[in-house]
């Protein structure tokens, strides 16, 4: 990678200012950023890397008035192991614990996991070999190319798969992303081509309201390699139970989608229903109803349907 | 016979490199410290086929810390035409690695882009773009085996099948090293520290590349971290060229992207096999066509594939034909065997299909048609030194409880809804034998009776060097701990031990060391005989546990130390090769018998297939390999385990994927190339079994084993078929491929 200036930001405001100044990259755990620099995946290289880890008091995990608050610099390991998170926000703990390897979870932060760059193999090609739509180019090379692991839902020009595990669980949990500028529902935090952070904006906190009592949570993923891998497809379900029936639910897909993809049709198919084989099959079918297969990724429709079906059955 | 041996086959003898490896003190070529040194990196072509018109390196050279840039005008063997994405265009030497990487981004290359083809099916079509290595097409060679009368064979058949496969996967071996080199010119003498599989071969390469006298090159083999066929990266000349240009020490440290974009991969292949058999299961005819995608390699390593396809299967009428294709993809080469993994896959899946059509149990069908002990090679008539393929198949079947658990394809569903499948496959492997090249060895007995092996081979850490120590210790009657490896592949002071490839090292270089040990033993016994009181005949002596004793009265003995202290010039030497084969009595074959060696190997597998997700779980996988004689006990079992690991990867993960439009690798890293981590391996389900037919052609009846025990992923394809009743013939068997086979994708 190229030489760069390394600046230790001591406040969020300082980090935002440095980012706004242009040609700077923010670094928390660095597990994603450094690989992008080593491989020269972007058209330009940052002159400055802003280290956020020295900003004090931004790595907390706490419950306040029934609200889970996680500082942007909280490590994935700590979220996965937190008794507070495991107790009421189990889907998040499960998702955080599935990210990559123990070593990466020890370095990676929640904000970094939410803001990581695409894992599309065209996007990540070294030396910006494929200057794709997502980087300001004119086409998504995955469409005519090898799209075995690309998005079946949410694609629009770009069909990049969505890499974050935690974002899927947080979307099902109805989280809010707090930045130095605003609070924004996580469903609105992402667009097809990435997140909606402004030039002078960075994530400072994640807030999640406590689920109603009797809520069941599931986070389930399929990855080719079980030891460590990005999810090819994943699903989070947060369901309020009424007896053995599901009274209310949120179902969110990840992996083979361009951004956290809530499947309201599947949610409607589950609401008011008992958890059984037939209903789970119907929910799975509904979840992939709008899926659009590219030449190589039709299999992801079947896989995702199965994943959703089994996640529903696990609510029983 | 095993009880007569005191060193060979005994558990607990540790690898000669073990302590260095586990303590992290083993030196790789880039660990060589010689004060200040420069770091080199290579720029690859961005086009799959292009001619370099001009290279402007001025901006790179202006970057602080950059000392030199070399191109095809400087590096021997480089052409101005590039034939695949990643083909080396230029190299930089700079004060540190990051500066070198940065400099690569500043080199401006003007290309004359030429038409290219990456898809092997497209490359075969009339009018396809020319890869550029041949003037009139993209087909490189045809190799045939024709035996008997194919038409008559099919006329005799009651049943025929036509079996077709898709393209198999290209695997990337990607060893830890793969071309790492530190180079330095001192008084016009080139010093090169390399991680090759063939140090004396690299020495010869430097001599040729730089037109040097042999005595002006010194190569030192350092740790390679494995080779798997990828330890011959042919980029060593870059470091030497940069060292020459700068007058400084230059260290080329190839990264994973280098390995993936320039290193060799296993070739992809596909087949069409027509087979005929009588109703009783007797094969009457095999007509097989095979296509191999060699990338830009004009001498692809699959020309032996017809032999690998048919080996071990008795069929009097056969026609095997291979068509080689070149494409603008990185060169194909070796990957822990060459032809056997795909050969066994293509033939065993066809045999499975034939058994089903005949209504026979596939194992019974195989047992009826495999060559048995005493039957000669069908093409050259030469006897096999041993053949226990029948027993290996039976043992593999027993290992998975095949007799009790077998069922018709698609017939068994497990309680959890998954489909259950079993299969047993096998082949006679052509590796593990002798290299035709001569291999030399020198051993030295020291004054205290201990022994040094002067090793002119590489430091690929696969244990064969330790096996050589076993041969020497056994032959000289020394304790194992009294024998140590000395110089490793230092070409100025070692004899050429040959290339560490083809699973030949245990036998070929082992033969040389055994012959050298015999030479030393003669000298030792001659000297000892004179020291007995009264003197005895050397022929009456024997040795064991570092003592030399009278055969007739073992209590009368001298230690090796006592003899060597008074006889300090005992050096054993040998040049072995094909001649050495004839020096050993092996099993039933007396010395001098022109026997043929094959390594029998079989696998039994039991799988569960989830038809909704496409996931396959291996419930049991037993591999049985007859390696003639277990020499280095722990190393042999480790090799077999590693073979299972490699086959697991080949079956479920291994796949180098290229963008068809550009020829760019899409998964040039361990994240997306998906080598399984230890947590991905179902250790409890895997089992390796080593048999000892004691009749390999190597010293003490040994064979090589590295490749034979890594060539049976075919058993997974057959077990999946038995589970589903539909074929998946496009490895790796990922959920995508399984769901596709089921019509769900």
């Amino acid at each position: 990678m190229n030489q760069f200036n390394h600046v230790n930001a001591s406040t969020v405001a300082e980090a935002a200012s440095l980012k706004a100044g242009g040609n700077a990259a923010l670094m928390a755990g660095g597990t994603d950023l450094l690989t992008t620099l080593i491989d020269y995946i972007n058209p330009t290289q940052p002159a400055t890397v802003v280290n956020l880890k020295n900003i004090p008091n931004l790595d907390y995990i706490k419950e306040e008035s029934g609200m889970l608050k996680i500082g942007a610099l909280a490590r994935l390991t700590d979220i996965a192991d937190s008794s507070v998170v495991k107790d009421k926000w189990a889907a998040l703990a499960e998702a955080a614990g599935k990210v990559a390897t123990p070593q990466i979870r020890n370095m990676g932060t929640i904000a970094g996991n939410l803001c990581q760059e695409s894992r599309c193999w065209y996007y990540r090609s070294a030396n910006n070999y494929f200057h794709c739509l997502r980087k300001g180019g004119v086409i998504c090379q995955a469409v005519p190319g090898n799209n075995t692991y690309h998005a079946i839902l949410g694609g629009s020009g770009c069909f990049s798969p969505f890499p974050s595990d935690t974002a899927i669980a947080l979307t099902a949990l109805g989280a809010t992303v707090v930045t130095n500028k605003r609070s924004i529902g996580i469903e609105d935090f992402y667009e097809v081509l990435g997140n909606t952070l402004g030039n002078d904006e960075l994530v400072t906190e994640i807030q999640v309201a406590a689920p109603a009592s009797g809520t069941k949570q599931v986070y389930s993923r399929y990855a080719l390699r079980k030891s460590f891998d990005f999810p090819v497809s994943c699903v989070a379900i947060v369901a309020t139970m009424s007896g053995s029936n599901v009274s209310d639910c949120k179902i969110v897909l990840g992996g083979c989608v361009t951004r956290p993809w809530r499947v309201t049709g599947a949610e409607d198919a589950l609401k008011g229903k008992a958890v059984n084989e037939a209903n789970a099959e119907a929910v799975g079918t509904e979840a992939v109803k709008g899926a659009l297969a590219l030449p190589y990724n039709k299999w992801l429709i079947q896989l995702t349907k199965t994943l959703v079906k089994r996640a529903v059955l696990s609510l029983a | 016979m095993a009880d007569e041996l005191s060193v060979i086959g005994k558990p607990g003898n540790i690898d000669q490199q073990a302590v260095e490896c586990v303590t992290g003190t083993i030196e790789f070529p880039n660990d060589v410290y010689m004060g200040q040194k420069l770091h080199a990196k290579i720029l690859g072509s961005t086009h799959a086929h292009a001619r370099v018109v001009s290279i402007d390196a001025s901006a790179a050279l202006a970057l602080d810390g950059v000392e030199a840039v070399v191109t095809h005008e400087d590096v021997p063997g480089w052409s101005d035409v590039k034939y695949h994405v990643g083909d080396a265009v230029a190299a930089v030497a700079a004060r540190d690695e990051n500066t070198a990487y940065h400099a690569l981004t500043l080199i401006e290359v003007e290309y004359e882009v030429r038409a290219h083809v990456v898809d092997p099916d497209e490359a075969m079509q009339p009018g396809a773009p020319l890869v550029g290595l041949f003037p009139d097409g993209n087909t490189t060679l045809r190799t045939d085996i024709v035996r008997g009368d194919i038409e008559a064979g099919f006329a005799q058949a009651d049943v025929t099948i036509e079996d077709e496969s898709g393209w198999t996967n290209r695997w990337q071996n990607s060893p830890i090293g793969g071309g790492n080199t530190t180079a330095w010119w001192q008084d016009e003498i080139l010093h090169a520290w390399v991680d090759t599989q063939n140090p004396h071969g690299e020495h010869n390469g430097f001599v040729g590349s730089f037109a040097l006298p042999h005595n002006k090159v010194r190569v030192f083999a350092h740790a390679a971290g494995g080779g798997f066929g990828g330890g011959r990266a042919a980029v060593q000349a870059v470091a030497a060229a940069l060292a020459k240009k700068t007058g400084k020490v230059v260290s080329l440290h190839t990264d994973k992207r280098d390995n993936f974009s320039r290193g060799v991969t296993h070739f992809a292949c596909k087949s069409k096999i027509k087979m005929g058999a009588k109703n009783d299961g007797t094969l009457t005819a095999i007509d097989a066509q095979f296509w191999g995608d060699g990338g830009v390699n004009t001498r692809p390593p699959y020309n032996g594939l017809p032999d690998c396809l048919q080996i071990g299967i008795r069929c009097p009428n056969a026609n095997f034909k291979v068509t080689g294709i070149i494409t603008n993809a990185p060169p194909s080469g070796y990957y822990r065997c060459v032809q056997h993994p795909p050969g066994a896959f293509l033939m065993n899946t066809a045999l499975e299909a034939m058994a089903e059509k005949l209504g026979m149990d596939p194992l019974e069908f195989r047992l009826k048609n495999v060559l048995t002990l005493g039957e000669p090679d069908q093409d050259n008539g030469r006897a096999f030194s041993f053949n226990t393929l029948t027993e290996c198949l039976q043992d593999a079947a027993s290992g998975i409880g095949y007799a009790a658990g077998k069922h018709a394809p698609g017939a068994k569903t497990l309680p959890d809804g998954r489909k259950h499948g079993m299969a047993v496959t096998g082949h006679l492997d052509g590796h593990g034998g002798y290299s035709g090249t001569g291999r030399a060895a020198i051993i030295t007995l020291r004054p205290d009776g201990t022994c040094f092996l002067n090793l002119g081979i590489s430091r690929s850490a696969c244990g064969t060097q330790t096996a050589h120590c076993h041969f020497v210790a056994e032959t000289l009657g020394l304790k194992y701990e009294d024998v140590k490896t000395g110089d490793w592949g230092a070409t100025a002071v070692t004899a050429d031990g040959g290339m560490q490839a083809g699973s030949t090292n245990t036998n070929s270089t082992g033969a040389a060391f055994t012959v050298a040990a015999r030479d030393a033993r003669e000298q030792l016994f001659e000297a000892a005989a004179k020291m007995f009181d009264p003197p005895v005949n050397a022929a009456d002596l024997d040795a064991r546990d570092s003592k030399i004793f009278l055969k007739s009265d073992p209590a009368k003995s001298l230690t090796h130390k006592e003899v060597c202290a008074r006889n300090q010039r005992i050096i054993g030497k040998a040049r072995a090769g094909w001649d050495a084969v004839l020096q050993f009595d092996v099993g039933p074959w007396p010395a001098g018998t022109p026997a043929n060696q094959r390594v029998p190997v079989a696998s039994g597998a039991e799988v569960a297939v989830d038809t909704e997700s496409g996931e396959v779980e291996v419930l049991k996988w037993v591999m049985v390999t007859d390696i003639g004689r277990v020499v280095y006990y722990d190393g042999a079992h480790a090799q077999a385990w590693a073979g299972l690991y490699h086959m697991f990867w080949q079956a479920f993960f291994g796949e180098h994927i290229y963008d068809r439009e550009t020829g760019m690798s899409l998964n040039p890293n361990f994240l997306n190339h998906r080598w399984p981590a230890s947590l991905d391996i179902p250790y409890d389900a895997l089992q390796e079994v080593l048999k000892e037919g004691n009749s390999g052609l190597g010293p003490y009846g040994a064979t090589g084993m590295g490749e034979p025990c890594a060539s049976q992923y075919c058993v997974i394809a057959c077990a999946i078929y038995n589970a589903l009743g539909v074929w998946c013939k496009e490895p790796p068997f990922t959920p995508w491929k399984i769901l596709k086979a089921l019509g769900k994708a």
Side-chain angles (χ1 to χ4, degrees), chain B residues 354-367:
Chain B
M354 175 55 100
E356 186 186 12
K357 190 155 185 184
L358 284 164
M360 284 182 76
D361 170 62
L363 175 61
E364 184 191 342
F365 176 63
R366 282 184 173 80
L367 290 171

Side-chain angles (χ1 to χ4, degrees), chain A residues 57 59-71 74 82 84-85 89 205-208:
Chain A
N57 304 319
D59 60 353
Y60 52 83
I61 301 168
K62 60 190 177 186
E63 184 179 2
E64 279 184 3
S65 307
M67 174 82 76
L68 175 65
K69 293 185 176 180
I70 304 176
S82 163
V84 172
V85 180
W89 296 275
E205 185 179 85
I206 310 300
Q207 297 179 349
V208 198

Side-chain angles (χ1 to χ4, degrees), chain A residues 7-16 18 26-28 50-60 72-74 202-204:
Chain A
V7 179
N8 288 313
S10 53
T11 64
V12 169
E14 182 188 358
L18 285 163
L26 303 184
M27 185 171 86
V50 182
N51 176 29
L52 304 175
K53 285 259 175 164
N54 284 7
I55 300 175
N57 304 319
L58 213 54
D59 60 353
Y60 52 83
L73 295 177
L202 65 154
V203 175
T204 56

Side-chain angles (χ1 to χ4, degrees), chain A residues 13 70 89 94 125 137 143 166 246:
Chain A
I70 304 176
W89 296 275
E94 182 73 16
S125 199
V143 175
T166 60
V246 174

Side-chain angles (χ1 to χ4, degrees), chain B residues 611-633:
Chain B
T611 58
E612 297 301 304
S613 69
E615 291 176 276
V616 179
E617 182 185 0
V618 174
L619 303 174
K620 190 80 180 166
W621 187 345
V622 178
M623 178 183 61
V624 183
T625 314
D626 192 336
I627 61 168
R629 162 88 61 194
V630 174
V631 178
Y632 165 30
Y633 181 91

Side-chain angles (χ1 to χ4, degrees), chain A residues 44 88 127 198 207 214 267 270 284 290:
Chain A
T44 58
K88 290 185 185 167
N127 300 309
Q207 297 179 349
E267 292 172 3
L270 185 57

Side-chain angles (χ1 to χ4, degrees), chain B residues 147-160:
Chain B
R147 182 167 69 239
D149 182 338
I150 195 75
E151 297 302 328
F154 280 113
Q156 293 164 20
D158 299 313
V159 174
T160 60

